[in-house]
Amino acid sequence: MLNDREKERYKRHLSLSGFGNEGQVALRDASALCVGAGGLGSPASLYLAAAGIGRLGLVDDDTVDLSNLQRQILHDEGSIGKPKVHSASNRLTSLNSDVRLEVHPGRLDRNNVMALFRQYDLIVDGSDNFPTRFLVADAAWLLGKPLVAGAIHQFEGQLTVFDPALRSPCYRCLLPEPPPPGTVPT
Ligand SMILES: [Zn+2]
């Protein structure tokens, strides 16, 4: 059941045919992990928090730079030089304090990826490099977790969902091996 405050807050979802009360409760009971708090992770995590996801994880090892602010809308001028998970946490908490926010400062690697991914229902990849993309894709696939992978380059963007439960192709069906370093842009 949704309380009165939730009914008010998510009024537009509740009146949206195909989403409604059932969709809102399912979203509140769900969790997602966003890999990267940059140009893709910013809008993804802001919208997930605004929409009322129950639990949101964020993993990032970077600090905020002035040149990030043109697109990485989680961060602001006061965050320059500080960890991105710090400004992300402040922004997302002030946006929706009902969301259980879990920040994971540090780099995702082969030693921590499985334990981290296991804690979430769905993985969002907003990373900016191929080694991380393949690590994320392989780990999500092995764990049977749906992966929402976003990528941009200049004026083009791609958004793909890989869901083992739907017997969809995996990331490696599309790109079997990481490109050699330096041959393609991040
Ligand atoms: Zn495959």
Side-chain angles (χ1 to χ4, degrees), residues 34 38 40-53 56 58 71-75 87-88 91-96 99:
C34 201
L40 296 163
S42 285
S45 60
L46 281 165
Y47 274 105
L48 282 166
I53 192 159
L56 179 60
L58 207 53
R71 66 199 179 282
Q72 301 185 13
I73 54 177
L74 272 174
H75 319 295
S87 40
R91 177 77 185 94
L92 294 167
T93 303
S94 63
L95 175 61
N96 191 345
V99 175

mmCIF file with all atom_site columns, all heavy atoms in Angstrom, residues 34 38 40-53 56 58 71-75 87-88 91-96 99:
data_model
loop_
_atom_site.group_PDB
_atom_site.id
_atom_site.type_symbol
_atom_site.label_atom_id
_atom_site.label_alt_id
_atom_site.label_comp_id
_atom_site.label_asym_id
_atom_site.label_entity_id
_atom_site.label_seq_id
_atom_site.pdbx_PDB_ins_code
_atom_site.Cartn_x
_atom_site.Cartn_y
_atom_site.Cartn_z
_atom_site.occupancy
_atom_site.B_iso_or_equiv
_atom_site.pdbx_formal_charge
_atom_site.auth_seq_id
_atom_site.auth_comp_id
_atom_site.auth_asym_id
_atom_site.auth_atom_id
_atom_site.pdbx_PDB_model_num
ATOM 1   N N   . CYS A 1 34 ? 23.556 1.759  -10.201 1.00 0.00 ? 34 CYS A N   1
ATOM 2   C CA  . CYS A 1 34 ? 24.025 2.575  -11.304 1.00 0.00 ? 34 CYS A CA  1
ATOM 3   C C   . CYS A 1 34 ? 25.554 2.577  -11.286 1.00 0.00 ? 34 CYS A C   1
ATOM 4   O O   . CYS A 1 34 ? 26.158 2.984  -10.294 1.00 0.00 ? 34 CYS A O   1
ATOM 5   C CB  . CYS A 1 34 ? 23.462 3.977  -11.108 1.00 0.00 ? 34 CYS A CB  1
ATOM 6   S SG  . CYS A 1 34 ? 23.436 4.914  -12.581 1.00 0.00 ? 34 CYS A SG  1
ATOM 7   N N   . GLY A 1 38 ? 28.374 9.824  -13.870 1.00 0.00 ? 38 GLY A N   1
ATOM 8   C CA  . GLY A 1 38 ? 28.796 10.831 -14.834 1.00 0.00 ? 38 GLY A CA  1
ATOM 9   C C   . GLY A 1 38 ? 27.656 11.270 -15.735 1.00 0.00 ? 38 GLY A C   1
ATOM 10  O O   . GLY A 1 38 ? 26.540 11.486 -15.277 1.00 0.00 ? 38 GLY A O   1
ATOM 11  N N   . LEU A 1 40 ? 25.942 9.714  -18.029 1.00 0.00 ? 40 LEU A N   1
ATOM 12  C CA  . LEU A 1 40 ? 24.809 8.799  -18.154 1.00 0.00 ? 40 LEU A CA  1
ATOM 13  C C   . LEU A 1 40 ? 24.209 8.479  -16.795 1.00 0.00 ? 40 LEU A C   1
ATOM 14  O O   . LEU A 1 40 ? 22.991 8.423  -16.633 1.00 0.00 ? 40 LEU A O   1
ATOM 15  C CB  . LEU A 1 40 ? 25.265 7.500  -18.838 1.00 0.00 ? 40 LEU A CB  1
ATOM 16  C CG  . LEU A 1 40 ? 25.756 7.657  -20.273 1.00 0.00 ? 40 LEU A CG  1
ATOM 17  C CD1 . LEU A 1 40 ? 26.558 6.441  -20.716 1.00 0.00 ? 40 LEU A CD1 1
ATOM 18  C CD2 . LEU A 1 40 ? 24.578 7.859  -21.207 1.00 0.00 ? 40 LEU A CD2 1
ATOM 19  N N   . GLY A 1 41 ? 25.070 8.277  -15.809 1.00 0.00 ? 41 GLY A N   1
ATOM 20  C CA  . GLY A 1 41 ? 24.600 7.944  -14.462 1.00 0.00 ? 41 GLY A CA  1
ATOM 21  C C   . GLY A 1 41 ? 23.815 9.074  -13.827 1.00 0.00 ? 41 GLY A C   1
ATOM 22  O O   . GLY A 1 41 ? 22.920 8.823  -13.011 1.00 0.00 ? 41 GLY A O   1
ATOM 23  N N   . SER A 1 42 ? 24.136 10.325 -14.204 1.00 0.00 ? 42 SER A N   1
ATOM 24  C CA  . SER A 1 42 ? 23.417 11.460 -13.616 1.00 0.00 ? 42 SER A CA  1
ATOM 25  C C   . SER A 1 42 ? 21.926 11.425 -13.941 1.00 0.00 ? 42 SER A C   1
ATOM 26  O O   . SER A 1 42 ? 21.106 11.342 -13.032 1.00 0.00 ? 42 SER A O   1
ATOM 27  C CB  . SER A 1 42 ? 24.011 12.797 -14.083 1.00 0.00 ? 42 SER A CB  1
ATOM 28  O OG  . SER A 1 42 ? 25.231 13.067 -13.432 1.00 0.00 ? 42 SER A OG  1
ATOM 29  N N   . PRO A 1 43 ? 21.550 11.485 -15.224 1.00 0.00 ? 43 PRO A N   1
ATOM 30  C CA  . PRO A 1 43 ? 20.109 11.462 -15.499 1.00 0.00 ? 43 PRO A CA  1
ATOM 31  C C   . PRO A 1 43 ? 19.462 10.152 -15.064 1.00 0.00 ? 43 PRO A C   1
ATOM 32  O O   . PRO A 1 43 ? 18.330 10.153 -14.562 1.00 0.00 ? 43 PRO A O   1
ATOM 33  C CB  . PRO A 1 43 ? 20.017 11.658 -17.013 1.00 0.00 ? 43 PRO A CB  1
ATOM 34  C CG  . PRO A 1 43 ? 21.379 11.396 -17.541 1.00 0.00 ? 43 PRO A CG  1
ATOM 35  C CD  . PRO A 1 43 ? 22.340 11.694 -16.443 1.00 0.00 ? 43 PRO A CD  1
ATOM 36  N N   . ALA A 1 44 ? 20.158 9.027  -15.229 1.00 0.00 ? 44 ALA A N   1
ATOM 37  C CA  . ALA A 1 44 ? 19.557 7.735  -14.851 1.00 0.00 ? 44 ALA A CA  1
ATOM 38  C C   . ALA A 1 44 ? 19.232 7.712  -13.363 1.00 0.00 ? 44 ALA A C   1
ATOM 39  O O   . ALA A 1 44 ? 18.123 7.347  -12.960 1.00 0.00 ? 44 ALA A O   1
ATOM 40  C CB  . ALA A 1 44 ? 20.496 6.588  -15.222 1.00 0.00 ? 44 ALA A CB  1
ATOM 41  N N   . SER A 1 45 ? 20.185 8.117  -12.530 1.00 0.00 ? 45 SER A N   1
ATOM 42  C CA  . SER A 1 45 ? 19.939 8.031  -11.083 1.00 0.00 ? 45 SER A CA  1
ATOM 43  C C   . SER A 1 45 ? 18.961 9.107  -10.619 1.00 0.00 ? 45 SER A C   1
ATOM 44  O O   . SER A 1 45 ? 18.146 8.863  -9.726  1.00 0.00 ? 45 SER A O   1
ATOM 45  C CB  . SER A 1 45 ? 21.259 8.125  -10.311 1.00 0.00 ? 45 SER A CB  1
ATOM 46  O OG  . SER A 1 45 ? 21.917 9.331  -10.577 1.00 0.00 ? 45 SER A OG  1
ATOM 47  N N   . LEU A 1 46 ? 19.003 10.291 -11.238 1.00 0.00 ? 46 LEU A N   1
ATOM 48  C CA  . LEU A 1 46 ? 18.034 11.332 -10.874 1.00 0.00 ? 46 LEU A CA  1
ATOM 49  C C   . LEU A 1 46 ? 16.608 10.878 -11.175 1.00 0.00 ? 46 LEU A C   1
ATOM 50  O O   . LEU A 1 46 ? 15.702 11.054 -10.362 1.00 0.00 ? 46 LEU A O   1
ATOM 51  C CB  . LEU A 1 46 ? 18.343 12.640 -11.621 1.00 0.00 ? 46 LEU A CB  1
ATOM 52  C CG  . LEU A 1 46 ? 19.494 13.475 -11.049 1.00 0.00 ? 46 LEU A CG  1
ATOM 53  C CD1 . LEU A 1 46 ? 19.956 14.523 -12.053 1.00 0.00 ? 46 LEU A CD1 1
ATOM 54  C CD2 . LEU A 1 46 ? 19.072 14.156 -9.748  1.00 0.00 ? 46 LEU A CD2 1
ATOM 55  N N   . TYR A 1 47 ? 16.407 10.278 -12.343 1.00 0.00 ? 47 TYR A N   1
ATOM 56  C CA  . TYR A 1 47 ? 15.056 9.838  -12.690 1.00 0.00 ? 47 TYR A CA  1
ATOM 57  C C   . TYR A 1 47 ? 14.611 8.633  -11.858 1.00 0.00 ? 47 TYR A C   1
ATOM 58  O O   . TYR A 1 47 ? 13.444 8.527  -11.488 1.00 0.00 ? 47 TYR A O   1
ATOM 59  C CB  . TYR A 1 47 ? 14.929 9.544  -14.188 1.00 0.00 ? 47 TYR A CB  1
ATOM 60  C CG  . TYR A 1 47 ? 14.589 10.796 -14.975 1.00 0.00 ? 47 TYR A CG  1
ATOM 61  C CD1 . TYR A 1 47 ? 15.535 11.454 -15.745 1.00 0.00 ? 47 TYR A CD1 1
ATOM 62  C CD2 . TYR A 1 47 ? 13.303 11.328 -14.911 1.00 0.00 ? 47 TYR A CD2 1
ATOM 63  C CE1 . TYR A 1 47 ? 15.226 12.614 -16.434 1.00 0.00 ? 47 TYR A CE1 1
ATOM 64  C CE2 . TYR A 1 47 ? 12.984 12.486 -15.598 1.00 0.00 ? 47 TYR A CE2 1
ATOM 65  C CZ  . TYR A 1 47 ? 13.947 13.132 -16.357 1.00 0.00 ? 47 TYR A CZ  1
ATOM 66  O OH  . TYR A 1 47 ? 13.635 14.269 -17.038 1.00 0.00 ? 47 TYR A OH  1
ATOM 67  N N   . LEU A 1 48 ? 15.536 7.736  -11.566 1.00 0.00 ? 48 LEU A N   1
ATOM 68  C CA  . LEU A 1 48 ? 15.165 6.593  -10.715 1.00 0.00 ? 48 LEU A CA  1
ATOM 69  C C   . LEU A 1 48 ? 14.744 7.078  -9.334  1.00 0.00 ? 48 LEU A C   1
ATOM 70  O O   . LEU A 1 48 ? 13.753 6.604  -8.771  1.00 0.00 ? 48 LEU A O   1
ATOM 71  C CB  . LEU A 1 48 ? 16.338 5.609  -10.597 1.00 0.00 ? 48 LEU A CB  1
ATOM 72  C CG  . LEU A 1 48 ? 16.549 4.701  -11.815 1.00 0.00 ? 48 LEU A CG  1
ATOM 73  C CD1 . LEU A 1 48 ? 17.920 4.023  -11.740 1.00 0.00 ? 48 LEU A CD1 1
ATOM 74  C CD2 . LEU A 1 48 ? 15.447 3.653  -11.908 1.00 0.00 ? 48 LEU A CD2 1
ATOM 75  N N   . ALA A 1 49 ? 15.488 8.033  -8.786  1.00 0.00 ? 49 ALA A N   1
ATOM 76  C CA  . ALA A 1 49 ? 15.154 8.564  -7.460  1.00 0.00 ? 49 ALA A CA  1
ATOM 77  C C   . ALA A 1 49 ? 13.838 9.338  -7.515  1.00 0.00 ? 49 ALA A C   1
ATOM 78  O O   . ALA A 1 49 ? 12.965 9.162  -6.668  1.00 0.00 ? 49 ALA A O   1
ATOM 79  C CB  . ALA A 1 49 ? 16.289 9.458  -6.952  1.00 0.00 ? 49 ALA A CB  1
ATOM 80  N N   . ALA A 1 50 ? 13.703 10.183 -8.526  1.00 0.00 ? 50 ALA A N   1
ATOM 81  C CA  . ALA A 1 50 ? 12.472 10.978 -8.647  1.00 0.00 ? 50 ALA A CA  1
ATOM 82  C C   . ALA A 1 50 ? 11.251 10.080 -8.806  1.00 0.00 ? 50 ALA A C   1
ATOM 83  O O   . ALA A 1 50 ? 10.196 10.338 -8.244  1.00 0.00 ? 50 ALA A O   1
ATOM 84  C CB  . ALA A 1 50 ? 12.587 11.931 -9.837  1.00 0.00 ? 50 ALA A CB  1
ATOM 85  N N   . ALA A 1 51 ? 11.412 8.997  -9.565  1.00 0.00 ? 51 ALA A N   1
ATOM 86  C CA  . ALA A 1 51 ? 10.289 8.103  -9.847  1.00 0.00 ? 51 ALA A CA  1
ATOM 87  C C   . ALA A 1 51 ? 9.905  7.250  -8.650  1.00 0.00 ? 51 ALA A C   1
ATOM 88  O O   . ALA A 1 51 ? 8.818  6.670  -8.631  1.00 0.00 ? 51 ALA A O   1
ATOM 89  C CB  . ALA A 1 51 ? 10.631 7.211  -11.037 1.00 0.00 ? 51 ALA A CB  1
ATOM 90  N N   . GLY A 1 52 ? 10.818 7.155  -7.663  1.00 0.00 ? 52 GLY A N   1
ATOM 91  C CA  . GLY A 1 52 ? 10.460 6.454  -6.438  1.00 0.00 ? 52 GLY A CA  1
ATOM 92  C C   . GLY A 1 52 ? 10.962 5.031  -6.319  1.00 0.00 ? 52 GLY A C   1
ATOM 93  O O   . GLY A 1 52 ? 10.321 4.192  -5.675  1.00 0.00 ? 52 GLY A O   1
ATOM 94  N N   . ILE A 1 53 ? 12.131 4.753  -6.894  1.00 0.00 ? 53 ILE A N   1
ATOM 95  C CA  . ILE A 1 53 ? 12.713 3.418  -6.683  1.00 0.00 ? 53 ILE A CA  1
ATOM 96  C C   . ILE A 1 53 ? 13.003 3.243  -5.187  1.00 0.00 ? 53 ILE A C   1
ATOM 97  O O   . ILE A 1 53 ? 13.320 4.210  -4.490  1.00 0.00 ? 53 ILE A O   1
ATOM 98  C CB  . ILE A 1 53 ? 13.988 3.228  -7.540  1.00 0.00 ? 53 ILE A CB  1
ATOM 99  C CG1 . ILE A 1 53 ? 14.380 1.752  -7.536  1.00 0.00 ? 53 ILE A CG1 1
ATOM 100 C CG2 . ILE A 1 53 ? 15.150 4.111  -7.047  1.00 0.00 ? 53 ILE A CG2 1
ATOM 101 C CD1 . ILE A 1 53 ? 15.266 1.348  -8.674  1.00 0.00 ? 53 ILE A CD1 1
ATOM 102 N N   . LEU A 1 56 ? 18.590 2.504  -4.240  1.00 0.00 ? 56 LEU A N   1
ATOM 103 C CA  . LEU A 1 56 ? 19.429 2.888  -5.376  1.00 0.00 ? 56 LEU A CA  1
ATOM 104 C C   . LEU A 1 56 ? 20.898 2.873  -4.962  1.00 0.00 ? 56 LEU A C   1
ATOM 105 O O   . LEU A 1 56 ? 21.289 3.550  -4.010  1.00 0.00 ? 56 LEU A O   1
ATOM 106 C CB  . LEU A 1 56 ? 19.030 4.291  -5.861  1.00 0.00 ? 56 LEU A CB  1
ATOM 107 C CG  . LEU A 1 56 ? 19.806 4.884  -7.029  1.00 0.00 ? 56 LEU A CG  1
ATOM 108 C CD1 . LEU A 1 56 ? 19.680 4.012  -8.277  1.00 0.00 ? 56 LEU A CD1 1
ATOM 109 C CD2 . LEU A 1 56 ? 19.313 6.303  -7.334  1.00 0.00 ? 56 LEU A CD2 1
ATOM 110 N N   . LEU A 1 58 ? 24.985 3.370  -6.112  1.00 0.00 ? 58 LEU A N   1
ATOM 111 C CA  . LEU A 1 58 ? 25.774 4.173  -7.048  1.00 0.00 ? 58 LEU A CA  1
ATOM 112 C C   . LEU A 1 58 ? 27.237 3.838  -6.808  1.00 0.00 ? 58 LEU A C   1
ATOM 113 O O   . LEU A 1 58 ? 27.718 3.939  -5.681  1.00 0.00 ? 58 LEU A O   1
ATOM 114 C CB  . LEU A 1 58 ? 25.501 5.640  -6.724  1.00 0.00 ? 58 LEU A CB  1
ATOM 115 C CG  . LEU A 1 58 ? 25.625 6.693  -7.800  1.00 0.00 ? 58 LEU A CG  1
ATOM 116 C CD1 . LEU A 1 58 ? 24.796 6.326  -9.026  1.00 0.00 ? 58 LEU A CD1 1
ATOM 117 C CD2 . LEU A 1 58 ? 25.140 8.041  -7.256  1.00 0.00 ? 58 LEU A CD2 1
ATOM 118 N N   . ARG A 1 71 ? 27.397 18.446 -18.440 1.00 0.00 ? 71 ARG A N   1
ATOM 119 C CA  . ARG A 1 71 ? 26.448 17.350 -18.698 1.00 0.00 ? 71 ARG A CA  1
ATOM 120 C C   . ARG A 1 71 ? 26.157 16.477 -17.482 1.00 0.00 ? 71 ARG A C   1
ATOM 121 O O   . ARG A 1 71 ? 25.152 15.768 -17.448 1.00 0.00 ? 71 ARG A O   1
ATOM 122 C CB  . ARG A 1 71 ? 26.973 16.458 -19.844 1.00 0.00 ? 71 ARG A CB  1
ATOM 123 C CG  . ARG A 1 71 ? 28.245 15.719 -19.441 1.00 0.00 ? 71 ARG A CG  1
ATOM 124 C CD  . ARG A 1 71 ? 29.042 15.202 -20.620 1.00 0.00 ? 71 ARG A CD  1
ATOM 125 N NE  . ARG A 1 71 ? 30.244 14.529 -20.133 1.00 0.00 ? 71 ARG A NE  1
ATOM 126 C CZ  . ARG A 1 71 ? 31.330 15.159 -19.706 1.00 0.00 ? 71 ARG A CZ  1
ATOM 127 N NH1 . ARG A 1 71 ? 31.396 16.477 -19.697 1.00 0.00 ? 71 ARG A NH1 1
ATOM 128 N NH2 . ARG A 1 71 ? 32.368 14.495 -19.262 1.00 0.00 ? 71 ARG A NH2 1
ATOM 129 N N   . GLN A 1 72 ? 27.022 16.497 -16.492 1.00 0.00 ? 72 GLN A N   1
ATOM 130 C CA  . GLN A 1 72 ? 26.859 15.585 -15.350 1.00 0.00 ? 72 GLN A CA  1
ATOM 131 C C   . GLN A 1 72 ? 26.051 16.292 -14.267 1.00 0.00 ? 72 GLN A C   1
ATOM 132 O O   . GLN A 1 72 ? 26.582 16.819 -13.295 1.00 0.00 ? 72 GLN A O   1
ATOM 133 C CB  . GLN A 1 72 ? 28.227 15.126 -14.857 1.00 0.00 ? 72 GLN A CB  1
ATOM 134 C CG  . GLN A 1 72 ? 28.995 14.423 -15.973 1.00 0.00 ? 72 GLN A CG  1
ATOM 135 C CD  . GLN A 1 72 ? 30.311 13.824 -15.528 1.00 0.00 ? 72 GLN A CD  1
ATOM 136 O OE1 . GLN A 1 72 ? 30.596 13.697 -14.337 1.00 0.00 ? 72 GLN A OE1 1
ATOM 137 N NE2 . GLN A 1 72 ? 31.141 13.454 -16.489 1.00 0.00 ? 72 GLN A NE2 1
ATOM 138 N N   . ILE A 1 73 ? 24.745 16.284 -14.475 1.00 0.00 ? 73 ILE A N   1
ATOM 139 C CA  . ILE A 1 73 ? 23.849 17.178 -13.734 1.00 0.00 ? 73 ILE A CA  1
ATOM 140 C C   . ILE A 1 73 ? 23.587 16.783 -12.282 1.00 0.00 ? 73 ILE A C   1
ATOM 141 O O   . ILE A 1 73 ? 22.824 17.446 -11.595 1.00 0.00 ? 73 ILE A O   1
ATOM 142 C CB  . ILE A 1 73 ? 22.516 17.353 -14.510 1.00 0.00 ? 73 ILE A CB  1
ATOM 143 C CG1 . ILE A 1 73 ? 21.910 15.982 -14.808 1.00 0.00 ? 73 ILE A CG1 1
ATOM 144 C CG2 . ILE A 1 73 ? 22.751 18.112 -15.824 1.00 0.00 ? 73 ILE A CG2 1
ATOM 145 C CD1 . ILE A 1 73 ? 20.562 16.048 -15.508 1.00 0.00 ? 73 ILE A CD1 1
ATOM 146 N N   . LEU A 1 74 ? 24.253 15.737 -11.814 1.00 0.00 ? 74 LEU A N   1
ATOM 147 C CA  . LEU A 1 74 ? 24.180 15.420 -10.381 1.00 0.00 ? 74 LEU A CA  1
ATOM 148 C C   . LEU A 1 74 ? 25.047 16.383 -9.572  1.00 0.00 ? 74 LEU A C   1
ATOM 149 O O   . LEU A 1 74 ? 24.825 16.585 -8.390  1.00 0.00 ? 74 LEU A O   1
ATOM 150 C CB  . LEU A 1 74 ? 24.731 14.008 -10.116 1.00 0.00 ? 74 LEU A CB  1
ATOM 151 C CG  . LEU A 1 74 ? 23.811 12.803 -10.199 1.00 0.00 ? 74 LEU A CG  1
ATOM 152 C CD1 . LEU A 1 74 ? 24.643 11.547 -10.034 1.00 0.00 ? 74 LEU A CD1 1
ATOM 153 C CD2 . LEU A 1 74 ? 22.718 12.857 -9.166  1.00 0.00 ? 74 LEU A CD2 1
ATOM 154 N N   . HIS A 1 75 ? 26.052 16.957 -10.211 1.00 0.00 ? 75 HIS A N   1
ATOM 155 C CA  . HIS A 1 75 ? 27.083 17.711 -9.507  1.00 0.00 ? 75 HIS A CA  1
ATOM 156 C C   . HIS A 1 75 ? 26.951 19.208 -9.760  1.00 0.00 ? 75 HIS A C   1
ATOM 157 O O   . HIS A 1 75 ? 26.349 19.622 -10.741 1.00 0.00 ? 75 HIS A O   1
ATOM 158 C CB  . HIS A 1 75 ? 28.474 17.211 -9.931  1.00 0.00 ? 75 HIS A CB  1
ATOM 159 C CG  . HIS A 1 75 ? 28.547 15.722 -10.061 1.00 0.00 ? 75 HIS A CG  1
ATOM 160 N ND1 . HIS A 1 75 ? 28.395 14.883 -8.985  1.00 0.00 ? 75 HIS A ND1 1
ATOM 161 C CD2 . HIS A 1 75 ? 28.691 14.917 -11.152 1.00 0.00 ? 75 HIS A CD2 1
ATOM 162 C CE1 . HIS A 1 75 ? 28.471 13.616 -9.406  1.00 0.00 ? 75 HIS A CE1 1
ATOM 163 N NE2 . HIS A 1 75 ? 28.646 13.615 -10.707 1.00 0.00 ? 75 HIS A NE2 1
ATOM 164 N N   . SER A 1 87 ? 28.627 14.255 -3.974  1.00 0.00 ? 87 SER A N   1
ATOM 165 C CA  . SER A 1 87 ? 27.638 15.211 -4.491  1.00 0.00 ? 87 SER A CA  1
ATOM 166 C C   . SER A 1 87 ? 26.390 14.485 -4.980  1.00 0.00 ? 87 SER A C   1
ATOM 167 O O   . SER A 1 87 ? 25.265 14.978 -4.833  1.00 0.00 ? 87 SER A O   1
ATOM 168 C CB  . SER A 1 87 ? 28.225 16.086 -5.594  1.00 0.00 ? 87 SER A CB  1
ATOM 169 O OG  . SER A 1 87 ? 29.047 15.356 -6.445  1.00 0.00 ? 87 SER A OG  1
ATOM 170 N N   . ALA A 1 88 ? 26.588 13.293 -5.534  1.00 0.00 ? 88 ALA A N   1
ATOM 171 C CA  . ALA A 1 88 ? 25.439 12.509 -5.999  1.00 0.00 ? 88 ALA A CA  1
ATOM 172 C C   . ALA A 1 88 ? 24.527 12.170 -4.832  1.00 0.00 ? 88 ALA A C   1
ATOM 173 O O   . ALA A 1 88 ? 23.298 12.291 -4.920  1.00 0.00 ? 88 ALA A O   1
ATOM 174 C CB  . ALA A 1 88 ? 25.930 11.230 -6.673  1.00 0.00 ? 88 ALA A CB  1
ATOM 175 N N   . ARG A 1 91 ? 22.588 15.287 -3.687  1.00 0.00 ? 91 ARG A N   1
ATOM 176 C CA  . ARG A 1 91 ? 21.561 15.684 -4.663  1.00 0.00 ? 91 ARG A CA  1
ATOM 177 C C   . ARG A 1 91 ? 20.380 14.712 -4.657  1.00 0.00 ? 91 ARG A C   1
ATOM 178 O O   . ARG A 1 91 ? 19.214 15.106 -4.657  1.00 0.00 ? 91 ARG A O   1
ATOM 179 C CB  . ARG A 1 91 ? 22.204 15.746 -6.049  1.00 0.00 ? 91 ARG A CB  1
ATOM 180 C CG  . ARG A 1 91 ? 21.276 16.077 -7.178  1.00 0.00 ? 91 ARG A CG  1
ATOM 181 C CD  . ARG A 1 91 ? 20.942 17.553 -7.224  1.00 0.00 ? 91 ARG A CD  1
ATOM 182 N NE  . ARG A 1 91 ? 19.936 17.809 -8.255  1.00 0.00 ? 91 ARG A NE  1
ATOM 183 C CZ  . ARG A 1 91 ? 18.621 17.862 -8.034  1.00 0.00 ? 91 ARG A CZ  1
ATOM 184 N NH1 . ARG A 1 91 ? 18.140 17.693 -6.825  1.00 0.00 ? 91 ARG A NH1 1
ATOM 185 N NH2 . ARG A 1 91 ? 17.790 18.094 -9.036  1.00 0.00 ? 91 ARG A NH2 1
ATOM 186 N N   . LEU A 1 92 ? 20.678 13.431 -4.650  1.00 0.00 ? 92 LEU A N   1
ATOM 187 C CA  . LEU A 1 92 ? 19.614 12.421 -4.738  1.00 0.00 ? 92 LEU A CA  1
ATOM 188 C C   . LEU A 1 92 ? 18.805 12.358 -3.446  1.00 0.00 ? 92 LEU A C   1
ATOM 189 O O   . LEU A 1 92 ? 17.594 12.165 -3.468  1.00 0.00 ? 92 LEU A O   1
ATOM 190 C CB  . LEU A 1 92 ? 20.214 11.048 -5.071  1.00 0.00 ? 92 LEU A CB  1
ATOM 191 C CG  . LEU A 1 92 ? 20.858 10.968 -6.462  1.00 0.00 ? 92 LEU A CG  1
ATOM 192 C CD1 . LEU A 1 92 ? 21.703 9.706  -6.591  1.00 0.00 ? 92 LEU A CD1 1
ATOM 193 C CD2 . LEU A 1 92 ? 19.795 11.004 -7.560  1.00 0.00 ? 92 LEU A CD2 1
ATOM 194 N N   . THR A 1 93 ? 19.469 12.555 -2.319  1.00 0.00 ? 93 THR A N   1
ATOM 195 C CA  . THR A 1 93 ? 18.761 12.537 -1.040  1.00 0.00 ? 93 THR A CA  1
ATOM 196 C C   . THR A 1 93 ? 17.837 13.744 -0.926  1.00 0.00 ? 93 THR A C   1
ATOM 197 O O   . THR A 1 93 ? 16.719 13.641 -0.420  1.00 0.00 ? 93 THR A O   1
ATOM 198 C CB  . THR A 1 93 ? 19.762 12.517 0.133   1.00 0.00 ? 93 THR A CB  1
ATOM 199 O OG1 . THR A 1 93 ? 20.607 11.383 -0.028  1.00 0.00 ? 93 THR A OG1 1
ATOM 200 C CG2 . THR A 1 93 ? 19.064 12.417 1.472   1.00 0.00 ? 93 THR A CG2 1
ATOM 201 N N   . SER A 1 94 ? 18.319 14.908 -1.420  1.00 0.00 ? 94 SER A N   1
ATOM 202 C CA  . SER A 1 94 ? 17.454 16.085 -1.337  1.00 0.00 ? 94 SER A CA  1
ATOM 203 C C   . SER A 1 94 ? 16.307 15.995 -2.345  1.00 0.00 ? 94 SER A C   1
ATOM 204 O O   . SER A 1 94 ? 15.245 16.581 -2.144  1.00 0.00 ? 94 SER A O   1
ATOM 205 C CB  . SER A 1 94 ? 18.250 17.381 -1.523  1.00 0.00 ? 94 SER A CB  1
ATOM 206 O OG  . SER A 1 94 ? 18.813 17.417 -2.798  1.00 0.00 ? 94 SER A OG  1
ATOM 207 N N   . LEU A 1 95 ? 16.512 15.243 -3.399  1.00 0.00 ? 95 LEU A N   1
ATOM 208 C CA  . LEU A 1 95 ? 15.436 15.050 -4.377  1.00 0.00 ? 95 LEU A CA  1
ATOM 209 C C   . LEU A 1 95 ? 14.345 14.131 -3.831  1.00 0.00 ? 95 LEU A C   1
ATOM 210 O O   . LEU A 1 95 ? 13.156 14.425 -3.946  1.00 0.00 ? 95 LEU A O   1
ATOM 211 C CB  . LEU A 1 95 ? 16.016 14.467 -5.674  1.00 0.00 ? 95 LEU A CB  1
ATOM 212 C CG  . LEU A 1 95 ? 15.028 14.086 -6.779  1.00 0.00 ? 95 LEU A CG  1
ATOM 213 C CD1 . LEU A 1 95 ? 14.237 15.278 -7.260  1.00 0.00 ? 95 LEU A CD1 1
ATOM 214 C CD2 . LEU A 1 95 ? 15.768 13.448 -7.942  1.00 0.00 ? 95 LEU A CD2 1
ATOM 215 N N   . ASN A 1 96 ? 14.752 13.011 -3.254  1.00 0.00 ? 96 ASN A N   1
ATOM 216 C CA  . ASN A 1 96 ? 13.749 12.069 -2.716  1.00 0.00 ? 96 ASN A CA  1
ATOM 217 C C   . ASN A 1 96 ? 14.323 11.335 -1.503  1.00 0.00 ? 96 ASN A C   1
ATOM 218 O O   . ASN A 1 96 ? 15.062 10.362 -1.648  1.00 0.00 ? 96 ASN A O   1
ATOM 219 C CB  . ASN A 1 96 ? 13.320 11.073 -3.800  1.00 0.00 ? 96 ASN A CB  1
ATOM 220 C CG  . ASN A 1 96 ? 12.106 10.268 -3.376  1.00 0.00 ? 96 ASN A CG  1
ATOM 221 O OD1 . ASN A 1 96 ? 11.738 10.244 -2.198  1.00 0.00 ? 96 ASN A OD1 1
ATOM 222 N ND2 . ASN A 1 96 ? 11.488 9.598  -4.338  1.00 0.00 ? 96 ASN A ND2 1
ATOM 223 N N   . VAL A 1 99 ? 14.054 7.362  -0.839  1.00 0.00 ? 99 VAL A N   1
ATOM 224 C CA  . VAL A 1 99 ? 14.894 6.365  -1.516  1.00 0.00 ? 99 VAL A CA  1
ATOM 225 C C   . VAL A 1 99 ? 16.032 5.961  -0.589  1.00 0.00 ? 99 VAL A C   1
ATOM 226 O O   . VAL A 1 99 ? 16.686 6.814  0.004   1.00 0.00 ? 99 VAL A O   1
ATOM 227 C CB  . VAL A 1 99 ? 15.472 6.947  -2.830  1.00 0.00 ? 99 VAL A CB  1
ATOM 228 C CG1 . VAL A 1 99 ? 16.453 5.969  -3.476  1.00 0.00 ? 99 VAL A CG1 1
ATOM 229 C CG2 . VAL A 1 99 ? 14.357 7.294  -3.794  1.00 0.00 ? 99 VAL A CG2 1
#
